[in-house]
Amino acid sequence: MKRCVLIGLFLTATTLTLSAFAGNESNLCVINLQKVRDAQSSNQGMNDQTKADVDSTLHRAESAYARNSDDGARECISLTTQAMQKMQSN
């Protein structure tokens, strides 16, 4: 129960951050990448399949960000949001 509440608070904070930094997609991508990494390290209860899915999505997001383009930043944001949703649904 506590884990669900913490994840809910995490996603709420993420949503607020999304609106605050919507003008600068590259920064938002970096922020989301860090949030996913932090959530991974603090959420040791993930099953192996979810952990593998999140790791794969995170790697794809990092690759998209490395393209250093607006499309890459948008893709990174989309992928990191998916990763956070996967962790929440676990």
Side-chain angles (χ1 to χ4, degrees), residues 20-73:
F21 291 100
N24 194 341
E25 292 172 337
S26 181
N27 284 346
L28 182 56
C29 173
V30 171
I31 290 166
N32 280 358
L33 285 169
Q34 188 59 47
K35 286 181 181 183
V36 171
R37 290 183 194 115
D38 291 345
Q40 275 184 313
S41 64
S42 67
N43 191 358
Q44 300 299 322
M46 278 193 294
N47 64 42
D48 291 338
Q49 180 62 42
T50 303
K51 183 171 175 25
D53 287 347
V54 170
D55 287 342
S56 174
T57 304
L58 184 61
H59 180 69
R60 290 176 28 220
E62 290 168 340
S63 296
Y65 176 69
R67 281 188 261 158
N68 202 21
S69 68
D70 289 340
D71 288 337

Side-chain angles (χ1 to χ4, degrees), residues 7 10-11 13-15 18 28-29 31-37 39 43 54 57 76-90:
I7 292 173
F10 173 75
L11 288 176
T14 302
T15 303
L18 286 174
L28 182 56
C29 173
I31 290 166
N32 280 358
L33 285 169
Q34 188 59 47
K35 286 181 181 183
V36 171
R37 290 183 194 115
N43 191 358
V54 170
T57 304
C76 172
I77 293 166
S78 174
L79 289 167
T80 53
T81 302
Q82 289 173 20
M84 287 185 273
Q85 289 172 344
K86 287 177 187 178
M87 285 187 287
Q88 181 187 22
S89 66
N90 178 31

